[in-house]
Amino acid sequence: MNYAYTEEQQLIRETARDYARRNLIKDVLERDAKAIYPAKHVKNIAELGFFGMMIKPEYGGVDTDNISYALALEEISKVDSSVAVIMAVHNSLTSYGIQTYGNDAQKEQYLPSLASGEMIGAFLLSEPDAGSDASFQKTTAADKGDHYLVNGVKNWITSAQSGSIYLVMAQTWPEKGHKGINAFIVEKDTPGISIGPHEDKMGMRSSDTHSVMFNDVMIPKENRIGDDGFGFRFAMKLLEGGRIGIAAQALGIASGAYELSVKYARERKAFGTEIINHQAIAFKLADMATEIETARLMVLKAAWLKDQGKPHGTESAMAKLIATDVAMKTTTEAVQIHGGYGYVKEYHVERLMREAKLTQIYEGTSEIQKLIISRAIAKG
Ligand code: CAA
């Protein structure tokens, strides 16, 4: 077993860390307060190659391994999870989905602009009545011979407004249940698509989240991914990898809160000494450090399994479950360590706590991760 990162993995981590610490930090508070989309950062990060991590070089991507991807997301998330979630959905859902399951024409048409970041990807699975129960799709894609006619509503869509390439899941054959669901590549400016108001979120306020309405939207047949009825399995396969990204994001949120807490505890004095010398604080830091390392091992294992082409669905669910719980616990303790300062925006930890909460909800709630893990146990 080898725990050392390769030179390339270290370089990717350093590049992400450097960008986050030098640039994202400067305006993260303002973007959070005013819910401003990080357009400039998305462009800059794309120029560094971070939007082509799941795309092969022949389509303009950098095709890194999943460990590098997790390291990059962790570093970005230490400072700004809004940027990280845009990156995560774009890479491990939209780009990976087209790269892995698209046909040659689809890859040639869409991957180069996704790799360069000229087009940002979004993933449209959730609906008002289909969140955890993802196969209960009410959006329909009626088969009209040479095209599909799509009607319905998707919601909680990351990058709905700023993105331009949507992966849309919709029901074609309701009588077949999940086996009737199809997946399509849809360009945002297709006639009949309209976008709902910006969701005023508790955290990750700088990423854009909206509902998307489809009203008689004509999708050419060649935009369907895979065979007729492949859409639900496609979405599930993508989420197996996507959850590694969200677990890495949660790990970053936890690590960011931990690093700020150590710094604060070394500087802040109470009862005649720095508070890190008080066991009440020191033991909190010890728990944080231990739990973060435990989560890190699980994230890296899931990423490594995916890199080896081995099954990783259960491990990615475990990684997301543990890392997001560690993020929630660590950020809550970070606020506690900071005392009153932790409760104001300037010290960042209250924002990290708000960001942590979302990681326990999207790309499958913690309860859904337990369902996936327990079903795997029962199956043996
Ligand atoms: N890979 C391949 N196939 C899979 C699969 C996987 N990982 N998981 C399930 N399937 C297949 C099953 O084998 C089954 O096929 P058969 O009938 O042929 O055997 C079929 O799919 C149905 O599977 P289940 O019976 O397990 O389906 P279910 O209805 O019980 O649901 C679930 C399973 C895991 C709960 C699923 O609904 C789920 O993942 N829910 C959560 C949805 C989610 O994560 N949404 C995130 C939205 S995207 C987002 O958040 C992005 C963002 O913006 C940040």
Side-chain angles (χ1 to χ4, degrees):
M1 201 172 279
N2 183 357
Y3 287 98
Y5 297 127
T6 64
E7 273 184 31
E8 188 187 340
Q9 289 162 351
Q10 288 179 54
L11 180 68
I12 289 170
R13 183 177 62 171
E14 292 308 319
T15 307
R17 179 179 292 176
D18 193 58
Y19 188 83
R21 291 187 179 178
R22 280 176 197 272
N23 300 290
L24 292 179
I25 193 72
K26 284 186 194 157
D27 58 353
V28 65
L29 290 178
E30 191 194 356
R31 282 187 288 104
D32 175 65
K34 298 182 185 163
I36 301 170
Y37 182 75
K40 170 185 74 181
H41 297 299
V42 167
K43 184 171 176 291
N44 292 344
I45 285 177
E47 277 167 14
L48 292 170
F50 288 119
F51 279 77
M53 297 185 91
M54 303 281 165
I55 297 175
K56 305 261 181 240
E58 61 260 39
Y59 299 109
V62 286
D63 193 25
T64 59
D65 60 9
N66 285 278
I67 290 185
S68 302
Y69 176 58
L71 292 172
L73 275 176
E74 181 186 347
E75 292 302 329
I76 299 287
S77 308
K78 280 183 186 175
V79 178
D80 187 348
S81 268
S82 295
V83 171
V85 72
I86 296 165
M87 205 175 128
V89 170
H90 174 94
N91 278 294
S92 42
L93 298 178
T94 317
S95 301
Y96 178 81
I98 298 175
Q99 176 69 71
T100 310
Y101 299 101
N103 59 34
D104 287 347
Q106 291 166 344
K107 291 184 204 178
E108 275 158 30
Q109 187 170 352
Y110 295 109
L111 290 179
S113 28
L114 285 166
S116 68
E118 184 195 329
M119 287 181 163
I120 300 298
F123 182 74
L124 284 70
L125 175 67
S126 300
E127 299 186 354
D129 295 319
S132 290
D133 187 5
S135 70
F136 187 62
Q137 294 281 308
K138 282 191 182 163
T139 298
T140 53
D143 188 338
K144 298 287 180 188
D146 64 340
H147 69 275
Y148 289 89
L149 204 57
V150 177
N151 281 287
V153 180
K154 297 287 176 182
N155 72 346
W156 314 126
I157 305 306
T158 303
S159 301
Q161 180 71 62
S162 53
S164 24
I165 301 293
Y166 292 170
L167 286 185
V168 179
M169 272 49 72
Q171 181 58 269
T172 302
W173 313 107
E175 65 282 8
K176 293 187 184 172
H178 72 81
K179 291 187 171 128
I181 294 171
N182 276 311
F184 306 94
I185 307 171
V186 180
E187 297 184 27
K188 185 184 77 179
D189 55 11
T190 309
I193 293 180
S194 55
I195 296 172
H198 168 87
E199 300 287 355
D200 193 8
K201 305 195 297 291
M202 169 179 167
M204 299 199 205
R205 294 175 46 74
S206 175
S207 72
D208 71 310
T209 309
H210 302 254
S211 51
V212 180
M213 278 71 73
F214 293 78
N215 185 10
D216 282 344
V217 178
M218 276 178 62
I219 309 295
K221 208 143 219 184
E222 56 265 28
N223 282 31
R224 191 185 75 208
I225 295 197
D227 293 337
D228 193 9
F230 177 58
F232 187 68
R233 277 200 305 129
F234 169 74
M236 293 297 108
K237 293 305 286 177
L238 298 194
L239 285 166
E240 286 186 345
R243 287 167 184 151
I244 300 173
I246 302 305
Q249 180 189 40
L251 186 60
I253 294 170
S255 304
Y258 167 74
E259 288 171 13
L260 289 169
S261 300
V262 172
K263 181 171 178 292
Y264 183 82
R266 284 191 181 134
E267 290 166 359
R268 171 76 175 173
K269 286 190 178 164
F271 304 102
T273 184
E274 288 78 14
I275 62 171
I276 199 164
N277 298 320
H278 294 301
Q279 199 177 68
I281 301 298
F283 277 18
K284 282 188 197 299
L285 294 172
D287 283 341
M288 287 159 123
T290 307
E291 287 162 10
I292 288 169
E293 278 311 296
T294 309
R296 175 169 288 112
L297 290 175
M298 196 66 237
V299 173
L300 292 175
K301 181 172 181 190
W304 178 83
L305 285 170
K306 186 159 191 280
D307 284 335
Q308 303 304 309
K310 292 178 191 286
H312 53 275
T314 309
E315 289 78 4
S316 74
M318 288 175 170
K320 184 175 186 288
L321 178 64
I322 187 168
T324 61
D325 282 355
V326 167
M328 199 63 241
K329 188 172 166 206
T330 304
T331 53
T332 306
E333 287 293 55
V335 171
Q336 190 71 15
I337 289 170
H338 282 74
Y341 295 99
Y343 207 65
V344 295
K345 310 239 177 238
E346 192 188 336
Y347 283 75
H348 294 279
V349 285
E350 66 81 34
R351 177 176 56 80
L352 292 169
M353 187 176 167
R354 287 187 278 113
E355 290 175 349
K357 189 63 220 167
L358 188 47
T359 66
Q360 292 180 311
I361 297 173
Y362 63 22
E363 296 211 18
T365 60
S366 296
E367 291 73 17
I368 289 296
Q369 307 315 319
K370 287 184 193 178
L371 185 76
I372 293 169
I373 298 161
S374 58
R375 281 182 179 176
I377 295 168
K379 208 169 147 196

